[in-house]
């Protein structure tokens, strides 16, 4: 009896523990810093000296290091922060002034003071926790907190004038000001913004004014600039990153790493291409067969709780999530249960061979536009997606690479309505119906911006017949030389640019199937990603360009290599759409400062647990300017 009672109490307690743990869990722990004896500090081998705004490496000889004439040893990190370049990434668009001196402190001295009231208060506190994690990620020796820092206190003040804004929209202000000052042994960092989203970016910038200096006597310490002012706001409202989790599954923890790195780079849209014809990992409670027949395994799925948790994790990092279930093409596995459930064939050509007749890559599959049940399923699915993300301003319906041959052959047999002389019209009708169902799913209200991938349907003459330019945004992925983008703009459409020749990060890894060639070799190095400025190169008006998005299709990448595939290249893209620096179109030369800052940012990402790729030999990092 007693035991039963105890068990019941324990059960209730555990349940309460579970359900009351609403806070998003953190991805990383920084235990590396907290194991004692991690490494004995060695006497420095190099010192850096600022000469003409460049850090020069000098060898420390045993004799000279004990001599009083030797200037104070300076670490590369400290020299880099105090010598010329800002080390900020992306570079702010407003005025920046940075002090040339720094003070030591420890992370336990940091304290948040926020007068934010209302809904954004909790978000600011959570964003501050993420900021704290970023700072702690730099720490390389836990017992440095016992040392005596230069200052007594480090106060981070956050002020938000519109705390009622808790959801990012295209017209949400993301600008912010950061002022860092020392007053009576106290560091005060003032972060002010109109909205939470601006303030969050401000904290991100503040984290970039802080670094670990391994040369501080005793084994290193955190340092912060003694003075700084930064005014900043982005060039484009839509700064996206698309990731495909259908070709290869990626765990929620991996996706959190993507979001952490996006936040560090001030990207703000995570376009989650969650399904494709290969697999359907999203669990849909109303239609459990989707993931049961479509996922790679019971553990390779995304539950509604996991998706919601990720959406919240993203929101606290200034990122909105767009869930894309691509249709009518790129839909096969996961869509085959219709007949069993009495709904008829929902998809045709599924896994059909020879694949190259019916789709762009194996396995094939395309929704059946002739089956009314398809539209009912879509409407319910859309309702679910809208509810999962809470995102009702922008919705991505897919529309990529429809293969008309698949429909021509599979619909001939039974189609009554096959009066189409041009199957583009069938495709157009499908799209109109899908958009209509989306609006129904949204409670009868139009979702203001419906995104489709660029395709034949988004070209003349079909586009004006099927895509309403006041509602549809085209994600233009064709090569930048193609006429797609200028035509869309001339015809009055809003666009998101994802030009394959610059912003496709999956290219350059050779063939993954015997037939056909590699989809899109060669590799796009970060310089190509960075130097792509199509509005300048092709004279496109910026007001119809919502922004840009880098894309990573996952045929040849999974969670073991996704970090390196994305970073630091997606960060290079981030500066293009946040700062949008002028491009020298005559030479396409990238300034030395960009290399230096991106390299610093890459190190920052690595510290935060992201497996970002190296830019170059470490010798180049240690000898700024010498490799260019
Ligand atoms: C910051 O991180 C440190 C180390 O994990 C922790 O001790 C401290 O409580 C954190 N502060 C906040 C406000 O989360
Ligand atoms: C920070 O902002 C507050 C008002 O929000 C102001 O009183 C204070 O002087 C500012 N401190 C610094 C260091 O700029
Ligand atoms: C298809 O065309 C035939 C002959 O032109 C016509 O009788 C029929 O009504 C058309 N079907 C539809 C659905 O428009």
């Amino acid at each position: 009896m007693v035991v039963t009672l105890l068990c019941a109490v324990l059960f209730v307690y555990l349940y309460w523990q579970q359900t009351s743990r609403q806070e998003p869990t953190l991805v990383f722990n920084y235990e590396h810093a907290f194991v004692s004896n991690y490494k004995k500090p060695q006497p420095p081998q190099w010192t850096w000296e600022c000469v003409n705004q460049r850090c020069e490496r000098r060898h420390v000889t045993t004799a000279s290091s004990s001599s009083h004439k030797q200037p104070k040893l300076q670490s590369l990190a400290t020299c880099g922060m105090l010598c010329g370049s800002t080390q900020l990434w992306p570079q702010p668009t407003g005025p920046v002034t940075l002090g040339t001196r720094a003070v030591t402190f420890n992370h336990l001295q940091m304290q948040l003071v926020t007068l934010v009231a209302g809904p954004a208060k909790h978000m600011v506190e959570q964003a501050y926790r993420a900021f704290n994690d970023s700072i702690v990620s730099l720490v390389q020796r836990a017992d440095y907190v016992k040392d005596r820092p230069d200052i007594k206190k480090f106060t981070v003040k956050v002020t938000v004038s519109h705390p009622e804004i808790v959801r990012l929209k295209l017209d949400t202000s993301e600008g912010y000001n950061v002022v860092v000052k020392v007053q009576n042994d106290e560091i005060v960092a003032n972060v002010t913004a109109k909205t939470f989203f601006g303030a969050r970016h401000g904290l991100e910038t503040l984290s970039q004014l802080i670094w670990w200096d391994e040369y501080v006597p005793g084994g290193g310490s955190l340092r912060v600039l003694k003075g700084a002012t930064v005014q900043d706001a982005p060039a484009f409202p839509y700064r996206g990153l698309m990731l495909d989790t259908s070709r290869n599954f990626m765990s929620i923890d991996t996706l959190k790493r993507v979001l952490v790195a996006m936040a560090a780079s001030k990207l703000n849209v995570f376009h989650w291409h969650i399904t494709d014809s290969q697999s359907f990992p999203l669990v849909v409670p109303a239609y459990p067969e989707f993931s049961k027949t479509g996922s790679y395994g019971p553990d390779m799925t995304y539950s509604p709780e996991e998706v919601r948790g990720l959406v919240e994790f993203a929101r606290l990092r200034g990122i909105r999530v767009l869930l894309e279930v691509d249709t009518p093409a790129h839909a096969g596995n996961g869509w085959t249960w219709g007949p069993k459930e009495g709904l008829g064939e929902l998809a045709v050509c599924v896994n059909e061979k020879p694949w190259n007749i019916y789709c762009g890559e194996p396995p094939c599959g395309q929704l059946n536009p002739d089956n009314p049940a398809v539209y009912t399923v879509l409407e319910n699915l859309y309702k679910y997606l809208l509810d999962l993300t809470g995102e009702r301003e922008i919705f991505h319906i897919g529309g990529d690479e429809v293969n008309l041959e698949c429909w021509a052959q599979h619909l001939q047999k039974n189609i009554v309505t096959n009066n189409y002389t041009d199957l583009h019209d069938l495709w157009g009708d499908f799209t109109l119906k899908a958009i209509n169902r989306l609006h129904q799913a949204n409670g009868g209200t139009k979702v203001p911006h419906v995104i489709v991938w660029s395709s034949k349907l988004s070209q003349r003459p079909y586009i004006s017949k099927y895509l309403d330019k006041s509602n549809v945004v085209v994600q233009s992925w064709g090569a930048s030389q193609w006429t797609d983008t200028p035509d869309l703009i001339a015809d009055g459409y809003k666009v998101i640019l994802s030009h394959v020749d610059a912003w496709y990060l999956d290219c350059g890894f050779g063939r993954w199937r015997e037939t056909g060639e590699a989809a899109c070799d060669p590799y796009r190095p970060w310089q190509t990603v960075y130097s792509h400025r199509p509005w300048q190169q092709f004279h496109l008006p910026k007001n119809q360009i919502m922004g840009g998005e880098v894309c990573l299709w996952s045929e040849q990448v999974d969670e073991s290599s996704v970090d390196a595939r994305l970073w630091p290249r997606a960060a290079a893209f981030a500066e293009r759409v946040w700062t949008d620096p002028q491009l020298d179109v005559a030479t396409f030369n990238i300034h030395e400062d960009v290399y230096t800052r991106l390299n610093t940012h890459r190190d920052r990402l690595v510290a935060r647990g992201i497996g970002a790729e190296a830019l170059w030999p470490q010798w180049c990092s240690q000898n700024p300017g010498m490799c260019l």
Side-chain angles (χ1 to χ4, degrees):
M1 177 67 189
V2 172
V3 172
T4 319
L5 202 70
L6 276 177
C7 283
V9 169
L10 188 70
F11 177 79
V12 169
Y13 173 73
L14 286 177
Y15 182 77
W16 174 80
Q17 276 256 311
Q18 278 285 317
T19 51
S20 61
R21 268 191 65 232
Q22 302 283 12
E23 306 295 304
T25 51
L26 300 168
V27 211
F28 315 115
N29 54 54
Y30 301 111
E31 272 157 20
H32 69 272
F34 298 93
V35 283
S36 50
N37 283 341
Y38 69 107
K39 219 182 203 182
K40 255 190 120 187
Q42 304 274 332
Q45 179 178 344
W46 304 107
T47 183
W48 280 267
E49 199 181 319
C50 185
V51 180
N52 296 329
Q53 305 209 315
R54 215 181 249 165
C55 293
E56 287 187 3
R57 190 177 79 166
R58 309 246 194 273
H59 196 238
V60 179
T61 58
T62 347
S64 65
S65 70
S66 60
S67 130
H68 289 293
K69 293 216 177 77
Q70 174 85 13
K72 225 174 129 196
L73 299 188
Q74 185 165 239
S75 66
L76 175 59
T78 297
C79 183
M81 288 302 295
L82 304 180
C83 175
S85 178
T86 68
Q87 306 301 344
L88 298 175
W89 194 278
Q91 178 79 350
T93 53
V96 175
T97 58
L98 298 180
T100 53
R101 298 171 71 189
V103 288
T104 62
F105 73 100
N106 75 58
H107 64 273
L108 295 177
Q109 296 181 302
M110 295 193 311
Q111 204 191 352
L112 170 70
V113 173
T114 175
L115 301 175
V116 177
K121 183 175 162 64
H122 168 76
M123 293 173 75
V124 168
E125 285 163 1
Q126 293 300 312
Y128 180 76
R129 269 182 62 174
F131 164 79
N132 185 56
D133 287 344
S134 301
I135 302 310
V136 174
S137 78
L138 301 167
V139 173
Q140 289 178 26
R141 181 177 65 95
D143 62 359
Y144 87 111
V145 296
K146 297 187 194 124
D147 302 346
R148 234 183 83 132
D150 294 341
I151 51 119
K152 293 219 167 70
K153 218 169 145 194
F154 188 149
T155 306
V156 179
K157 281 193 188 167
V158 178
T159 314
V160 170
S161 53
H162 287 285
E164 74 284 1
I165 296 175
V166 293
R167 181 167 282 286
L168 185 65
K169 295 240 173 99
L170 288 168
D171 63 1
T172 302
S173 163
E174 294 182 277
Y176 65 88
N177 285 353
V178 173
V179 177
V180 180
K181 275 187 192 156
V182 178
Q183 306 169 323
N184 326 317
D185 288 348
E186 179 185 357
I187 293 270
V188 180
N190 254 3
V191 178
T192 51
K194 290 207 174 91
T195 71
F196 160 79
F197 298 94
R200 195 220 68 85
H201 292 320
L203 286 174
E204 206 64 61
T205 296
L206 177 60
S207 79
Q208 300 188 358
L209 304 175
I210 293 169
W211 69 99
W212 180 261
D213 182 351
E214 56 190 339
Y215 286 12
V216 171
S221 171
L222 286 176
R223 271 191 194 279
V224 58
L225 286 186
K226 223 172 151 179
T229 61
V230 178
Q231 255 181 55
D232 197 10
F236 289 97
Y238 185 111
R239 305 181 304 280
L241 181 153
M242 189 224 71
L243 185 62
D244 163 14
T245 60
S246 165
R247 274 53 181 264
N248 279 297
F249 180 79
M250 305 196 201
S251 66
I252 291 287
D253 274 358
T254 292
L255 301 184
K256 284 185 177 172
R257 282 205 309 281
V258 174
L259 292 168
V260 164
M262 284 178 67
S265 311
K266 301 190 176 85
L267 292 173
N268 68 355
V269 182
F270 178 54
H271 170 184
W272 187 355
H273 184 86
I274 194 166
T275 65
D276 210 289
S277 58
Q278 282 87 348
S279 80
F280 199 116
L282 176 65
V283 176
V284 183
Y287 301 112
E289 298 298 314
F290 268 131
S291 57
K292 279 198 180 139
T293 64
S295 74
Y296 287 130
D299 52 339
M300 284 180 273
T301 59
Y302 303 110
S303 72
E305 297 74 32
E306 285 175 319
V307 175
R308 285 203 176 91
L310 196 76
V311 166
E312 181 63 359
F313 187 91
R315 188 176 72 113
L316 296 171
R317 285 162 181 76
I319 299 164
R320 62 166 129 194
V321 178
L322 306 183
L323 278 178
E324 180 208 352
V325 172
D326 199 353
T327 66
H330 290 274
N333 291 283
W335 286 92
T336 52
W337 44 272
K340 204 188 97 208
E341 298 288 313
L343 296 177
E345 289 290 2
L346 299 174
V348 291
C349 334
V350 179
N351 303 340
E352 192 72 31
K353 289 196 285 193
W355 63 265
N356 54 341
I357 297 184
Y358 305 107
C359 60
E361 75 180 44
C364 299
Q366 211 153 277
L367 295 195
N368 178 359
D370 205 28
N371 179 357
V374 163
Y375 302 99
T376 313
V377 171
L378 274 183
E379 182 175 333
N380 291 328
L381 191 58
Y382 289 158
K383 214 176 268 169
Y384 176 57
L385 299 179
L386 288 166
D387 178 58
L388 276 181
T389 59
E391 172 58 55
R392 285 162 196 274
E393 188 191 29
I394 306 181
F395 193 93
H396 204 307
I397 60 165
D400 199 17
E401 297 186 313
V402 171
N403 181 302
L404 296 180
E405 196 52 33
C406 159
W407 279 345
Q409 295 207 12
H410 287 76
L411 299 182
Q412 246 167 21
K413 304 164 202 157
N414 52 0
I415 197 163
V416 219
T417 53
N418 192 2
N419 277 2
Y420 294 99
T421 50
D422 179 351
L423 284 180
H424 287 94
D425 292 318
L426 175 60
W427 178 6
D429 285 341
F430 172 91
T431 307
L432 286 177
K433 286 184 192 164
I435 293 177
N436 190 32
R437 293 299 183 130
L438 169 65
H439 297 326
Q440 296 288 331
N442 192 37
T445 315
K446 272 194 172 183
V447 174
H449 304 284
V450 179
I451 308 179
V452 296
W453 289 104
S454 57
S455 67
K456 264 278 166 57
L457 197 69
S458 68
Q459 288 173 11
R460 301 168 187 164
Y462 305 108
I463 182 161
S464 54
K465 197 165 165 199
Y466 295 107
L467 305 179
D468 170 7
K469 64 179 164 226
S470 70
N471 189 218
V472 174
V473 177
V474 181
Q475 181 167 10
S476 185
W477 66 268
S480 47
Q481 315 288 342
W482 295 6
T483 58
D484 281 54
T485 310
D487 284 354
L488 283 164
I489 286 181
D491 291 348
Y493 286 83
K494 285 231 159 66
V495 293
I496 292 164
L497 300 181
S498 292
H499 292 143
V500 60
D501 47 329
W503 290 345
Y504 265 39
L505 304 183
D506 50 296
C507 300
F509 293 86
R511 306 198 309 200
W512 55 273
R513 48 178 191 250
E514 200 38 48
T515 47
E517 39 189 66
C520 58
D521 279 355
Y523 184 82
R524 323 299 192 230
W526 74 260
Q527 293 91 334
T528 302
V529 175
Y530 188 83
S531 301
H532 190 52
R533 194 171 190 244
W535 38 95
Q536 180 184 348
Q537 287 152 308
F538 304 101
H539 312 285
L540 306 172
K542 257 174 146 179
N543 60 351
Q544 274 169 261
I545 302 171
M546 244 183 207
E549 189 167 285
V550 275
C551 298
L552 183 59
W553 301 100
S554 68
E555 283 91 347
Q556 291 167 290
V557 61
D558 70 4
E559 61 186 5
S560 66
S561 51
V562 69
D563 288 18
R565 201 75 105 233
L566 284 173
W567 310 105
R569 290 185 297 158
F573 164 79
E575 180 155 298
R576 171 53 55 215
V577 282
W578 176 283
T579 318
D580 191 24
Q582 278 286 333
L583 193 69
D584 185 343
V585 279
T587 64
F588 283 88
N589 270 349
I590 296 177
H591 198 266
E592 176 185 332
D593 169 69
V594 176
Y595 283 81
T596 313
R597 286 185 301 105
L598 184 59
N599 190 51
T600 301
H601 191 61
R602 182 264 171 182
D603 289 348
R604 208 175 272 143
L605 295 178
V606 170
R608 294 184 193 183
I610 317 297
E613 227 163 36
L615 258 68
W616 53 17
Q618 196 169 352
W619 190 89
C620 304
S621 309
Q622 290 198 348
N623 295 275
M626 300 280 279
C627 289
L628 301 170

